[in-house]
PDB file of all heavy atoms in Angstrom:
ATOM      1  N   TYR S   1      -3.168  -4.621   9.667  1.00 97.00           N
ATOM      2  CA  TYR S   1      -2.948  -4.773   8.223  1.00 97.00           C
ATOM      3  C   TYR S   1      -3.736  -3.714   7.444  1.00 97.00           C
ATOM      4  O   TYR S   1      -4.812  -3.308   7.856  1.00 97.00           O
ATOM      5  CB  TYR S   1      -3.379  -6.171   7.742  1.00 97.00           C
ATOM      6  CG  TYR S   1      -2.343  -7.237   8.010  1.00 97.00           C
ATOM      7  CD1 TYR S   1      -2.310  -7.893   9.252  1.00 97.00           C
ATOM      8  CD2 TYR S   1      -1.417  -7.607   7.048  1.00 97.00           C
ATOM      9  CE1 TYR S   1      -1.370  -8.878   9.488  1.00 97.00           C
ATOM     10  CE2 TYR S   1      -0.476  -8.586   7.296  1.00 97.00           C
ATOM     11  CZ  TYR S   1      -0.468  -9.220   8.515  1.00 97.00           C
ATOM     12  OH  TYR S   1       0.479 -10.186   8.765  1.00 97.00           O
ATOM     13  N   ASN S   2      -3.135  -3.322   6.322  1.00 96.00           N
ATOM     14  CA  ASN S   2      -3.810  -2.446   5.382  1.00 96.00           C
ATOM     15  C   ASN S   2      -4.048  -3.245   4.107  1.00 96.00           C
ATOM     16  O   ASN S   2      -3.110  -3.712   3.471  1.00 96.00           O
ATOM     17  CB  ASN S   2      -2.932  -1.217   5.091  1.00 96.00           C
ATOM     18  CG  ASN S   2      -3.552  -0.277   4.071  1.00 96.00           C
ATOM     19  OD1 ASN S   2      -4.773  -0.182   3.968  1.00 96.00           O
ATOM     20  ND2 ASN S   2      -2.713   0.409   3.313  1.00 96.00           N
ATOM     21  N   SER S   3      -5.301  -3.441   3.724  1.00 93.00           N
ATOM     22  CA  SER S   3      -5.631  -4.263   2.575  1.00 93.00           C
ATOM     23  C   SER S   3      -6.014  -3.387   1.381  1.00 93.00           C
ATOM     24  O   SER S   3      -6.737  -2.413   1.532  1.00 93.00           O
ATOM     25  CB  SER S   3      -6.779  -5.226   2.918  1.00 93.00           C
ATOM     26  OG  SER S   3      -6.418  -6.087   3.968  1.00 93.00           O
ATOM     27  N   PHE S   4      -5.509  -3.776   0.201  1.00 92.00           N
ATOM     28  CA  PHE S   4      -5.849  -3.051  -1.023  1.00 92.00           C
ATOM     29  C   PHE S   4      -5.658  -3.995  -2.203  1.00 92.00           C
ATOM     30  O   PHE S   4      -5.099  -5.085  -2.066  1.00 92.00           O
ATOM     31  CB  PHE S   4      -4.979  -1.804  -1.186  1.00 92.00           C
ATOM     32  CG  PHE S   4      -3.487  -2.079  -1.145  1.00 92.00           C
ATOM     33  CD1 PHE S   4      -2.772  -2.312  -2.314  1.00 92.00           C
ATOM     34  CD2 PHE S   4      -2.815  -2.100   0.062  1.00 92.00           C
ATOM     35  CE1 PHE S   4      -1.416  -2.557  -2.272  1.00 92.00           C
ATOM     36  CE2 PHE S   4      -1.446  -2.336   0.122  1.00 92.00           C
ATOM     37  CZ  PHE S   4      -0.752  -2.574  -1.054  1.00 92.00           C
ATOM     38  N   LYS S   5      -6.095  -3.576  -3.375  1.00 89.00           N
ATOM     39  CA  LYS S   5      -5.992  -4.401  -4.567  1.00 89.00           C
ATOM     40  C   LYS S   5      -5.150  -3.692  -5.617  1.00 89.00           C
ATOM     41  O   LYS S   5      -5.212  -2.478  -5.757  1.00 89.00           O
ATOM     42  CB  LYS S   5      -7.395  -4.704  -5.119  1.00 89.00           C
ATOM     43  CG  LYS S   5      -8.244  -5.586  -4.212  1.00 89.00           C
ATOM     44  CD  LYS S   5      -9.595  -5.882  -4.847  1.00 89.00           C
ATOM     45  CE  LYS S   5     -10.419  -6.793  -3.943  1.00 89.00           C
ATOM     46  NZ  LYS S   5     -11.752  -7.105  -4.530  1.00 89.00           N
ATOM     47  N   ILE S   6      -4.398  -4.504  -6.367  1.00 86.00           N
ATOM     48  CA  ILE S   6      -3.626  -3.964  -7.484  1.00 86.00           C
ATOM     49  C   ILE S   6      -4.046  -4.707  -8.750  1.00 86.00           C
ATOM     50  O   ILE S   6      -4.381  -5.886  -8.717  1.00 86.00           O
ATOM     51  CB  ILE S   6      -2.093  -4.088  -7.259  1.00 86.00           C
ATOM     52  CG1 ILE S   6      -1.701  -5.559  -7.041  1.00 86.00           C
ATOM     53  CG2 ILE S   6      -1.660  -3.248  -6.083  1.00 86.00           C
ATOM     54  CD1 ILE S   6      -0.199  -5.748  -6.975  1.00 86.00           C
ATOM     55  N   ARG S   7      -4.011  -3.994  -9.848  1.00 77.00           N
ATOM     56  CA  ARG S   7      -4.448  -4.579 -11.116  1.00 77.00           C
ATOM     57  C   ARG S   7      -3.394  -5.541 -11.668  1.00 77.00           C
ATOM     58  O   ARG S   7      -2.191  -5.248 -11.647  1.00 77.00           O
ATOM     59  CB  ARG S   7      -4.715  -3.475 -12.133  1.00 77.00           C
ATOM     60  CG  ARG S   7      -5.344  -3.985 -13.441  1.00 77.00           C
ATOM     61  CD  ARG S   7      -5.598  -2.830 -14.386  1.00 77.00           C
ATOM     62  NE  ARG S   7      -6.609  -1.927 -13.874  1.00 77.00           N
ATOM     63  CZ  ARG S   7      -7.909  -2.134 -14.000  1.00 77.00           C
ATOM     64  NH1 ARG S   7      -8.351  -3.204 -14.622  1.00 77.00           N
ATOM     65  NH2 ARG S   7      -8.762  -1.267 -13.512  1.00 77.00           N
ATOM     66  N   LYS S   8      -3.821  -6.700 -12.141  1.00 74.00           N
ATOM     67  CA  LYS S   8      -2.934  -7.688 -12.747  1.00 74.00           C
ATOM     68  C   LYS S   8      -2.904  -7.469 -14.255  1.00 74.00           C
ATOM     69  O   LYS S   8      -3.734  -6.780 -14.833  1.00 74.00           O
ATOM     70  CB  LYS S   8      -3.406  -9.113 -12.431  1.00 74.00           C
ATOM     71  CG  LYS S   8      -3.352  -9.441 -10.946  1.00 74.00           C
ATOM     72  CD  LYS S   8      -3.507 -10.935 -10.697  1.00 74.00           C
ATOM     73  CE  LYS S   8      -4.911 -11.403 -10.940  1.00 74.00           C
ATOM     74  NZ  LYS S   8      -5.095 -12.843 -10.539  1.00 74.00           N
ATOM     75  N   LYS S   9      -1.903  -8.074 -14.915  1.00 67.00           N
ATOM     76  CA  LYS S   9      -1.748  -7.911 -16.367  1.00 67.00           C
ATOM     77  C   LYS S   9      -2.952  -8.431 -17.137  1.00 67.00           C
ATOM     78  O   LYS S   9      -3.299  -7.917 -18.205  1.00 67.00           O
ATOM     79  CB  LYS S   9      -0.481  -8.625 -16.847  1.00 67.00           C
ATOM     80  CG  LYS S   9       0.812  -7.968 -16.363  1.00 67.00           C
ATOM     81  CD  LYS S   9       2.020  -8.714 -16.889  1.00 67.00           C
ATOM     82  CE  LYS S   9       3.316  -8.051 -16.406  1.00 67.00           C
ATOM     83  NZ  LYS S   9       4.512  -8.801 -16.903  1.00 67.00           N
ATOM     84  N   ASN S  10      -3.583  -9.473 -16.586  1.00 64.00           N
ATOM     85  CA  ASN S  10      -4.721 -10.053 -17.296  1.00 64.00           C
ATOM     86  C   ASN S  10      -6.017  -9.283 -17.083  1.00 64.00           C
ATOM     87  O   ASN S  10      -7.093  -9.699 -17.540  1.00 64.00           O
ATOM     88  CB  ASN S  10      -4.912 -11.515 -16.873  1.00 64.00           C
ATOM     89  CG  ASN S  10      -5.241 -11.660 -15.389  1.00 64.00           C
ATOM     90  OD1 ASN S  10      -5.511 -10.681 -14.693  1.00 64.00           O
ATOM     91  ND2 ASN S  10      -5.213 -12.885 -14.893  1.00 64.00           N
ATOM     92  N   GLY S  11      -5.939  -8.155 -16.368  1.00 65.00           N
ATOM     93  CA  GLY S  11      -7.107  -7.318 -16.165  1.00 65.00           C
ATOM     94  C   GLY S  11      -7.816  -7.548 -14.834  1.00 65.00           C
ATOM     95  O   GLY S  11      -8.639  -6.733 -14.427  1.00 65.00           O
ATOM     96  N   GLY S  12      -7.473  -8.625 -14.139  1.00 74.00           N
ATOM     97  CA  GLY S  12      -8.053  -8.882 -12.815  1.00 74.00           C
ATOM     98  C   GLY S  12      -7.344  -8.095 -11.734  1.00 74.00           C
ATOM     99  O   GLY S  12      -6.532  -7.189 -12.011  1.00 74.00           O
ATOM    100  N   PHE S  13      -7.628  -8.437 -10.488  1.00 82.00           N
ATOM    101  CA  PHE S  13      -7.019  -7.733  -9.375  1.00 82.00           C
ATOM    102  C   PHE S  13      -6.387  -8.747  -8.401  1.00 82.00           C
ATOM    103  O   PHE S  13      -6.883  -9.870  -8.234  1.00 82.00           O
ATOM    104  CB  PHE S  13      -8.057  -6.903  -8.605  1.00 82.00           C
ATOM    105  CG  PHE S  13      -8.534  -5.705  -9.386  1.00 82.00           C
ATOM    106  CD1 PHE S  13      -9.627  -5.806 -10.232  1.00 82.00           C
ATOM    107  CD2 PHE S  13      -7.868  -4.487  -9.281  1.00 82.00           C
ATOM    108  CE1 PHE S  13     -10.069  -4.707 -10.955  1.00 82.00           C
ATOM    109  CE2 PHE S  13      -8.299  -3.404 -10.003  1.00 82.00           C
ATOM    110  CZ  PHE S  13      -9.400  -3.497 -10.841  1.00 82.00           C
ATOM    111  N   ARG S  14      -5.291  -8.339  -7.780  1.00 85.00           N
ATOM    112  CA  ARG S  14      -4.630  -9.138  -6.751  1.00 85.00           C
ATOM    113  C   ARG S  14      -4.761  -8.395  -5.424  1.00 85.00           C
ATOM    114  O   ARG S  14      -4.454  -7.202  -5.345  1.00 85.00           O
ATOM    115  CB  ARG S  14      -3.155  -9.347  -7.081  1.00 85.00           C
ATOM    116  CG  ARG S  14      -2.386 -10.088  -6.001  1.00 85.00           C
ATOM    117  CD  ARG S  14      -0.931 -10.303  -6.372  1.00 85.00           C
ATOM    118  NE  ARG S  14      -0.803 -11.316  -7.424  1.00 85.00           N
ATOM    119  CZ  ARG S  14      -0.450 -11.075  -8.676  1.00 85.00           C
ATOM    120  NH1 ARG S  14      -0.228  -9.813  -9.044  1.00 85.00           N
ATOM    121  NH2 ARG S  14      -0.371 -12.023  -9.568  1.00 85.00           N
ATOM    122  N   GLU S  15      -5.230  -9.114  -4.420  1.00 90.00           N
ATOM    123  CA  GLU S  15      -5.384  -8.475  -3.098  1.00 90.00           C
ATOM    124  C   GLU S  15      -4.079  -8.534  -2.313  1.00 90.00           C
ATOM    125  O   GLU S  15      -3.469  -9.589  -2.180  1.00 90.00           O
ATOM    126  CB  GLU S  15      -6.494  -9.164  -2.298  1.00 90.00           C
ATOM    127  CG  GLU S  15      -6.774  -8.459  -0.976  1.00 90.00           C
ATOM    128  CD  GLU S  15      -8.007  -8.956  -0.268  1.00 90.00           C
ATOM    129  OE1 GLU S  15      -8.790  -9.708  -0.890  1.00 90.00           O
ATOM    130  OE2 GLU S  15      -8.198  -8.580   0.903  1.00 90.00           O
ATOM    131  N   ILE S  16      -3.677  -7.403  -1.814  1.00 93.00           N
ATOM    132  CA  ILE S  16      -2.464  -7.296  -1.022  1.00 93.00           C
ATOM    133  C   ILE S  16      -2.848  -6.949   0.417  1.00 93.00           C
ATOM    134  O   ILE S  16      -3.631  -6.011   0.656  1.00 93.00           O
ATOM    135  CB  ILE S  16      -1.517  -6.205  -1.586  1.00 93.00           C
ATOM    136  CG1 ILE S  16      -1.160  -6.498  -3.042  1.00 93.00           C
ATOM    137  CG2 ILE S  16      -0.267  -6.088  -0.715  1.00 93.00           C
ATOM    138  CD1 ILE S  16      -0.380  -7.761  -3.267  1.00 93.00           C
ATOM    139  N   ASN S  17      -2.316  -7.691   1.361  1.00 96.00           N
ATOM    140  CA  ASN S  17      -2.518  -7.404   2.779  1.00 96.00           C
ATOM    141  C   ASN S  17      -1.165  -7.012   3.365  1.00 96.00           C
ATOM    142  O   ASN S  17      -0.318  -7.873   3.647  1.00 96.00           O
ATOM    143  CB  ASN S  17      -3.079  -8.633   3.492  1.00 96.00           C
ATOM    144  CG  ASN S  17      -4.461  -9.015   2.964  1.00 96.00           C
ATOM    145  OD1 ASN S  17      -5.389  -8.239   3.024  1.00 96.00           O
ATOM    146  ND2 ASN S  17      -4.566 -10.216   2.408  1.00 96.00           N
ATOM    147  N   ALA S  18      -0.941  -5.721   3.494  1.00 96.00           N
ATOM    148  CA  ALA S  18       0.349  -5.201   3.917  1.00 96.00           C
ATOM    149  C   ALA S  18       0.314  -4.862   5.419  1.00 96.00           C
ATOM    150  O   ALA S  18      -0.569  -4.125   5.857  1.00 96.00           O
ATOM    151  CB  ALA S  18       0.717  -3.968   3.115  1.00 96.00           C
ATOM    152  N   PRO S  19       1.247  -5.394   6.194  1.00 97.00           N
ATOM    153  CA  PRO S  19       1.258  -5.099   7.646  1.00 97.00           C
ATOM    154  C   PRO S  19       1.634  -3.648   7.920  1.00 97.00           C
ATOM    155  O   PRO S  19       2.415  -3.031   7.170  1.00 97.00           O
ATOM    156  CB  PRO S  19       2.321  -6.062   8.178  1.00 97.00           C
ATOM    157  CG  PRO S  19       3.233  -6.284   7.020  1.00 97.00           C
ATOM    158  CD  PRO S  19       2.367  -6.256   5.806  1.00 97.00           C
ATOM    159  N   LEU S  20       1.076  -3.094   8.991  1.00 96.00           N
ATOM    160  CA  LEU S  20       1.486  -1.768   9.452  1.00 96.00           C
ATOM    161  C   LEU S  20       2.879  -1.841  10.037  1.00 96.00           C
ATOM    162  O   LEU S  20       3.370  -2.927  10.378  1.00 96.00           O
ATOM    163  CB  LEU S  20       0.491  -1.238  10.490  1.00 96.00           C
ATOM    164  CG  LEU S  20      -0.982  -1.130  10.019  1.00 96.00           C
ATOM    165  CD1 LEU S  20      -1.841  -0.536  11.145  1.00 96.00           C
ATOM    166  CD2 LEU S  20      -1.094  -0.295   8.755  1.00 96.00           C
ATOM    167  N   GLU S  21       3.527  -0.703  10.165  1.00 95.00           N
ATOM    168  CA  GLU S  21       4.951  -0.684  10.480  1.00 95.00           C
ATOM    169  C   GLU S  21       5.303  -1.407  11.773  1.00 95.00           C
ATOM    170  O   GLU S  21       6.336  -2.071  11.855  1.00 95.00           O
ATOM    171  CB  GLU S  21       5.428   0.772  10.537  1.00 95.00           C
ATOM    172  CG  GLU S  21       6.945   0.910  10.458  1.00 95.00           C
ATOM    173  CD  GLU S  21       7.529   0.266   9.200  1.00 95.00           C
ATOM    174  OE1 GLU S  21       6.980   0.477   8.094  1.00 95.00           O
ATOM    175  OE2 GLU S  21       8.530  -0.455   9.325  1.00 95.00           O
ATOM    176  N   GLU S  22       4.457  -1.292  12.817  1.00 94.00           N
ATOM    177  CA  GLU S  22       4.809  -1.923  14.099  1.00 94.00           C
ATOM    178  C   GLU S  22       4.838  -3.438  13.990  1.00 94.00           C
ATOM    179  O   GLU S  22       5.598  -4.100  14.705  1.00 94.00           O
ATOM    180  CB  GLU S  22       3.845  -1.486  15.194  1.00 94.00           C
ATOM    181  CG  GLU S  22       2.373  -1.687  14.888  1.00 94.00           C
ATOM    182  CD  GLU S  22       1.484  -0.999  15.915  1.00 94.00           C
ATOM    183  OE1 GLU S  22       1.752  -1.114  17.127  1.00 94.00           O
ATOM    184  OE2 GLU S  22       0.527  -0.294  15.515  1.00 94.00           O
ATOM    185  N   LEU S  23       4.047  -4.017  13.116  1.00 97.00           N
ATOM    186  CA  LEU S  23       4.099  -5.456  12.888  1.00 97.00           C
ATOM    187  C   LEU S  23       5.140  -5.794  11.824  1.00 97.00           C
ATOM    188  O   LEU S  23       5.830  -6.816  11.938  1.00 97.00           O
ATOM    189  CB  LEU S  23       2.717  -5.963  12.445  1.00 97.00           C
ATOM    190  CG  LEU S  23       2.618  -7.456  12.074  1.00 97.00           C
ATOM    191  CD1 LEU S  23       3.042  -8.341  13.238  1.00 97.00           C
ATOM    192  CD2 LEU S  23       1.219  -7.804  11.606  1.00 97.00           C
ATOM    193  N   LYS S  24       5.247  -4.959  10.791  1.00 97.00           N
ATOM    194  CA  LYS S  24       6.196  -5.219   9.732  1.00 97.00           C
ATOM    195  C   LYS S  24       7.621  -5.311  10.262  1.00 97.00           C
ATOM    196  O   LYS S  24       8.413  -6.150   9.803  1.00 97.00           O
ATOM    197  CB  LYS S  24       6.110  -4.126   8.664  1.00 97.00           C
ATOM    198  CG  LYS S  24       6.976  -4.410   7.425  1.00 97.00           C
ATOM    199  CD  LYS S  24       6.999  -3.229   6.472  1.00 97.00           C
ATOM    200  CE  LYS S  24       5.675  -3.009   5.803  1.00 97.00           C
ATOM    201  NZ  LYS S  24       5.754  -1.936   4.768  1.00 97.00           N
ATOM    202  N   GLY S  25       7.963  -4.470  11.242  1.00 96.00           N
ATOM    203  CA  GLY S  25       9.290  -4.503  11.816  1.00 96.00           C
ATOM    204  C   GLY S  25       9.601  -5.855  12.465  1.00 96.00           C
ATOM    205  O   GLY S  25      10.712  -6.387  12.346  1.00 96.00           O
ATOM    206  N   ILE S  26       8.612  -6.432  13.144  1.00 97.00           N
ATOM    207  CA  ILE S  26       8.793  -7.747  13.765  1.00 97.00           C
ATOM    208  C   ILE S  26       8.939  -8.818  12.690  1.00 97.00           C
ATOM    209  O   ILE S  26       9.792  -9.707  12.784  1.00 97.00           O
ATOM    210  CB  ILE S  26       7.582  -8.057  14.679  1.00 97.00           C
ATOM    211  CG1 ILE S  26       7.510  -7.053  15.824  1.00 97.00           C
ATOM    212  CG2 ILE S  26       7.685  -9.492  15.231  1.00 97.00           C
ATOM    213  CD1 ILE S  26       6.276  -7.202  16.702  1.00 97.00           C
ATOM    214  N   GLN S  27       8.117  -8.742  11.640  1.00 97.00           N
ATOM    215  CA  GLN S  27       8.200  -9.714  10.543  1.00 97.00           C
ATOM    216  C   GLN S  27       9.539  -9.622   9.822  1.00 97.00           C
ATOM    217  O   GLN S  27      10.108 -10.658   9.444  1.00 97.00           O
ATOM    218  CB  GLN S  27       7.044  -9.482   9.571  1.00 97.00           C
ATOM    219  CG  GLN S  27       5.680  -9.830  10.138  1.00 97.00           C
ATOM    220  CD  GLN S  27       4.551  -9.489   9.176  1.00 97.00           C
ATOM    221  OE1 GLN S  27       4.742  -8.690   8.244  1.00 97.00           O
ATOM    222  NE2 GLN S  27       3.379 -10.049   9.414  1.00 97.00           N
TER     223      GLN S  27
END
């Protein structure tokens, strides 16, 4: 997984855990 944060409208952050391609393909 590749983890990162994106800014929300209210000014906070949402954490995203995105799978790498070899796992994403299975999902």
